[in-house]
Amino acid sequence: MLLFTPGPTPVPQNVRNAMADETMHHRTPEFEAIFEKTRKHLFNLFKTDEVVMIASSGTGAMEASVINLCKNTLLSVNSGKFGERFGKIAIAHGLKSIEIKNEWNTPVSVEDILNTVKANADIDAIAVQISESAGGLRHPVEEIAKAVKAINPKIMIIADGITAVGVEPIDVTNIDCLIAGSQKALMLPPGLAILGLSNAAITSIGSGVGYYLNLASEIKKQKQNTTAYTAATTLIIGLLEVLETVEANGGIEKLYSDTATRANAVTEALVALGLHIYPSTPAKSMTTIDDVNAAEIRNLLKTDFEVNVAGGQDHLKGKIFRINQMGLISNYEMAWVVNAVELCLAKLGRRDYDGTANKIFNEITFGMDK
Ligand SMILES: *Cc1c(COP(=O)(O)O)cnc(C)c1O
């Protein structure tokens, strides 16, 4: 079965092998050397002033960012389940929460953010997904960050990049906290989260808030290549292997351009079948289709063609399906996925099979369309 869900994503064989050794003690020079190398690669990936790794799923990093960077009112963007979560975290910690809510296919507008910030002087942090995975939507995070900093540079900008870091280049000039999680674009099992931080964020964090998720404690330790509490040693060993593999495959810029080409080829192939892309501003992390037969297509993909894609949640259950684009994905696997979607449409009597999807995917991927 091909795993094509936008998290978890497949873990490459060499990464699984690297994680198969005996458990290493975390307070040793051997592990600290691995930690130091991993940090170097992370600085290259995040391009932020500091990076910290914590043993938690992505939500742990979301919570850490909110409690350490927001002291008063959090403005969050709810165009899906993950954006909604930021507001819930703020409320759970007794912070004030203001939310801008849109349908799951609609990005937040920069104007709405600016108007809300101007109308609420208490807002001291803004949290937004770069890629909102609920509907495969790209928010204009860099533009939001730039516009907000222009009117109030003190407002902390938290960018959830769990399905964006490692997918596309992100301009972190005006971003204070950039979050990634292991099981999405980083091709690892779940359980490790990473935060990239600006110097302004580090100043704002001061002595930190909370205990396990106190970022000040982690920053202090991780600068010395160790962690405040037991490190997720196995996952960090796997992360180093992932980042070295990306380097060996032409580097992060090549991964970005391969991902962009693949996402575009899949989009064109599926649109040529008469399918519709759900989000008005699609993220490169996944291809999201809304369709009356979404549930049947997803089911047939699994039972007849050995392809596992994700469905929708909440009000989009049975209405969309989402195909992963994150990680090092072989073209021959992706070609099979679009071909399998076309076969499903034929089985459903929607369209005669003629190999259109495969043809368009290959033409774009291999430059035969020029
Ligand atoms: C998956 C995801 C999360 C939540 O991460 P968990 O690892 O499930 O806690 C947050 N934000 C986005 C955009 C995600 O895709």
Side-chain angles (χ1 to χ4, degrees):
M1 182 78 74
L2 292 178
L3 179 62
F4 264 89
T5 56
T9 59
V11 182
Q13 182 67 55
N14 64 308
V15 176
R16 283 180 277 157
N17 291 348
M19 295 189 295
D21 265 342
E22 283 178 4
T23 302
M24 203 182 245
H25 196 286
H26 55 292
R27 308 282 181 212
T28 55
E30 291 79 11
F31 181 69
E32 285 170 15
I34 290 170
F35 198 89
E36 184 175 8
K37 274 200 225 169
T38 311
R39 263 172 73 79
K40 279 213 182 93
H41 280 287
L42 287 176
F43 278 112
N44 181 44
L45 177 65
F46 278 70
K47 315 255 190 272
T48 47
D49 299 318
E50 188 52 80
V51 291
V52 292
M53 294 173 252
I54 56 174
S56 82
S57 86
T59 306
M62 293 169 73
E63 183 155 355
S65 68
V66 170
I67 65 174
N68 285 273
L69 290 171
C70 181
K71 317 280 182 272
N72 190 326
T73 303
L74 182 75
L75 170 59
S76 56
V77 169
N78 176 354
S79 293
K81 251 193 139 46
F82 297 108
E84 180 184 40
R85 190 169 298 177
F86 270 126
K88 288 183 173 175
I89 290 170
I91 289 164
H93 286 278
L95 297 161
K96 279 185 276 170
S97 161
I98 299 174
E99 190 181 78
I100 300 177
K101 199 169 175 177
N102 280 302
E103 190 40 66
W104 290 14
N105 62 353
T106 307
V108 72
S109 76
V110 180
E111 300 88 285
D112 277 358
I113 294 271
L114 289 183
N115 290 339
T116 310
V117 165
K118 285 173 190 159
N120 298 275
D122 287 347
I123 292 170
D124 58 344
I126 300 176
V128 55
Q129 275 57 40
I130 297 175
S131 155
E132 168 53 83
S133 314
L137 176 79
R138 178 63 154 95
H139 283 298
V141 175
E142 293 93 333
E143 291 89 330
I144 290 168
K146 190 174 177 201
V148 168
K149 291 287 184 184
I151 57 169
N152 184 353
K154 286 215 174 78
I155 294 178
M156 290 286 113
I157 308 290
I158 300 167
D160 171 357
I162 293 176
T163 51
V165 175
V167 173
E168 56 172 316
I170 297 155
D171 178 3
V172 294
T173 311
N174 297 295
I175 291 174
D176 295 295
C177 177
L178 177 63
I179 299 169
S182 55
Q183 81 276 23
K184 309 270 173 88
L186 297 176
M187 298 171 263
L188 287 166
L192 187 71
I194 306 154
L195 300 101
L197 298 163
S198 69
N199 284 330
I202 295 169
T203 305
S204 163
I205 289 165
S207 57
V209 174
Y211 188 80
Y212 183 71
L213 295 177
N214 183 316
L215 291 176
S217 327
E218 286 299 342
I219 292 165
K220 187 167 160 230
K221 290 290 182 184
Q222 298 199 15
K223 276 183 188 298
Q224 302 160 45
N225 298 314
T226 187
T227 48
Y229 313 104
T230 306
T233 47
T234 306
L235 287 168
I236 292 170
I237 289 165
L239 178 58
L240 178 58
E241 184 71 18
V242 164
L243 298 172
E244 285 179 343
T245 304
V246 168
E247 278 310 307
N249 278 277
I252 192 69
E253 301 299 332
K254 175 155 192 304
L255 178 56
Y256 294 152
S257 74
D258 286 352
T259 305
T261 303
R262 191 175 56 247
N264 175 46
V266 170
T267 298
E268 293 300 323
L270 299 185
V271 167
L273 298 178
L275 294 173
H276 178 254
I277 301 293
Y278 173 68
S280 63
T281 52
K284 292 191 169 64
S285 52
M286 66 197 76
T287 309
T288 306
I289 300 290
D290 56 326
D291 194 273
V292 282
N293 297 122
E296 289 95 329
I297 292 170
R298 186 173 164 231
N299 212 22
L300 277 173
L301 282 172
K302 205 180 252 175
T303 55
D304 292 24
F305 303 108
E306 294 181 77
V307 176
N308 184 4
V309 302
Q313 294 162 298
D314 295 357
H315 67 294
L316 292 184
K317 200 171 191 313
K319 299 209 163 83
I320 61 167
F321 63 94
R322 297 172 294 152
I323 302 172
N324 176 52
Q325 299 293 350
M326 296 177 279
L328 293 157
I329 296 176
S330 296
N331 288 322
Y332 62 82
E333 289 188 353
M334 199 79 245
W336 172 250
V337 174
V338 295
N339 182 54
V341 172
E342 183 173 350
L343 287 163
C344 290
L345 293 181
K347 282 205 167 219
L348 291 167
R350 292 255 303 256
R351 194 182 173 284
D352 287 340
Y353 180 79
D354 60 6
T356 292
N358 195 39
K359 178 172 185 287
I360 291 181
F361 177 82
N362 285 313
E363 282 175 350
I364 294 175
T365 302
F366 299 104
M368 307 285 183
D369 55 332
K370 286 170 189 114

